Amino acid sequence: MRRERRLYSLLGFLLLLAVVYLNWFPGRDPAAPGGGLKLPVPWLQPRMAFAGRNGTHFVDAATGSPLYVNGWNSYWLLSSRSPALVAEMLRRGRRMGLGVCRTWAFSDGGPDALQISPGRFSEAVFQVLDYVIYEARRNNIRLILCLVNNLDNFGGKAQYVKWAQAAGANLTNSTDSFFYHPTIKGYYKDYVKAMLTRKNSYSGITYCDEPAIFAWELMNEPRCVSNSSGPHLQAWIAEMAAYVKSLDNNHLVTVGIEGFYGPGIAERLGFNPGDWAASLCCDFLQNSAVEHIDFASVHAYPDSWLPKARMEEKVRYLSSWVDSHLNDSENILKKPVLFSEVGYLQHANANTTVDRDILLRVVYDKIYDSARKLQAGGGALIWQLMVKGTHMYHDNFSLVARDHPSTYKLIKEHSCRLQMLHKKEGDPGWQCTIPP
């Protein structure tokens, strides 16, 4: 009996060592053969509640308390194939009080793809995504996982069309067929099912049961080539949102649109950045009103949309753009709205004597005002944050936050005031250090 007790004590000690190791060391590259040391036991993962929705605002599903988001984009987490870079980015986000990160959960076709061909996956690459989710939970970060790209980067809808053509489908080269051809819709649904039913090799938790996932995003910036394809996009949103909910009722679902108004409501067209925006067959109100879409999404790129405008004009336009979507979400959609990409130029020519952070401040201030009133402005995500060693994923809107002290301070201040607004306990590992 004494020998058995000693054996149990030894086993318990070894298990404790394994848990400590997993919680303090990322382990080997999850993309490498074997995937590093893992202990996929669900009850060993940090406690975390799902994000939910109550009317026009997000809530902590466990307590019902309001949840207003300060977050960021790092689309490259899966692509980096580096646990060290993933862990560093998530730790840095946590240090700024950020609670949500939006990233790609797709890589279709091409070298090192997650989805090699329809329904065929790279286990090694899937384990990288496992690690991203696992590490996010360890840092008290929730993820918005986007399921496919409108653009050709990382395959996108064009790759789905190519797969269908190779399988003998009678298609033109127009990528609009992504939204209506049965074969392609079947490919997408198979991908969604594989994603939502995946068991994480690091935590042992199925993705559909993982509270570190904030929401599923159907597509990054859906657009059509022909404006006549608008009804196809609308039907696709309704069908795919319902399909996601049929597999996973724990998580929120959003479309991923940019927020442009379609030609159906003439009085809204003036809020678009140009006439071109109404010709992309998407419509903020119609697309976001779909039953199984839990919250609306909006992007904001005044530097790109109004390249010749002065800063004062960009500020006025951005203010009007944000106000319009906040009002429509509160009064018409009656759903939260998340400004899921807020970007402004970071290159040297843009950073002269002009205060570039004023564009981000406009959005933050309007989100804060909405949060004070418990209204629909659910939050904002800056595009995009990086760490050293990720230069290959940079664009003109990317920044390493600590290399931009004024932006770093602005982000952290906004995290602080949202945390204090509704006396939210927030992340126990992060405390606001900026006085109110």
Side-chain angles (χ1 to χ4, degrees), residues 240-385:
M240 298 310 168
Y243 183 70
V244 171
K245 287 291 189 179
S246 73
L247 298 173
D248 176 4
N249 210 32
N250 288 323
H251 291 107
L252 302 169
V253 176
T254 192
V255 182
I257 54 174
E258 297 158 273
F260 301 133
Y261 291 100
I265 306 179
E267 60 267 27
R268 291 292 192 283
L269 295 180
F271 293 107
N272 282 343
D275 293 342
W276 54 269
S279 66
L280 303 173
C281 84
C282 46
D283 180 85
F284 173 72
L285 289 172
Q286 187 178 32
N287 300 158
S288 304
V290 169
E291 177 186 359
H292 295 294
I293 295 301
D294 295 297
F295 64 95
S297 64
V298 179
H299 295 180
Y301 287 96
D303 286 328
S304 294
W305 295 347
L306 307 172
K308 297 180 180 179
R310 293 169 313 187
M311 178 57 74
E312 294 81 4
E313 294 172 306
K314 292 177 183 177
V315 168
R316 282 197 299 272
Y317 172 75
L318 180 60
S319 180
S320 172
W321 175 253
V322 174
D323 283 342
S324 175
H325 290 83
L326 289 176
N327 291 334
D328 284 344
S329 297
E330 178 71 25
N331 300 311
I332 298 177
L333 296 173
K334 302 189 184 303
K335 298 179 181 183
V337 58
L338 186 68
F339 291 81
S340 52
E341 290 188 24
V342 179
Y344 54 108
L345 291 174
Q346 299 293 331
H347 58 71
N349 291 337
N351 290 306
T352 55
T353 58
V354 176
D355 177 12
R356 304 295 308 172
D357 291 331
I358 191 172
L359 296 171
L360 183 60
R361 190 177 294 112
V362 165
V363 179
Y364 278 176
D365 286 348
K366 290 184 179 296
I367 292 297
Y368 179 71
D369 187 58
S370 185
R372 279 194 311 108
K373 302 171 184 174
L374 271 179
Q375 291 184 345
L381 313 179
I382 187 173
W383 180 281
Q384 69 163 335
L385 297 185

Side-chain angles (χ1 to χ4, degrees), residues 187-234:
Y187 290 162
Y188 181 83
K189 285 183 176 180
D190 289 346
Y191 184 77
V192 168
K193 185 174 182 179
M195 183 68 58
L196 272 58
T197 58
R198 165 80 178 180
K199 179 177 280 191
N200 193 309
S201 60
Y202 282 85
S203 67
I205 299 173
T206 304
Y207 283 16
C208 63
D209 295 322
E210 175 55 74
I213 297 172
F214 182 90
W216 300 108
E217 184 177 273
L218 298 181
M219 174 180 272
N220 174 50
E221 299 185 341
R223 296 181 177 187
C224 299
V225 176
S226 168
N227 198 38
S228 63
S229 296
H232 294 305
L233 173 58
Q234 181 70 10

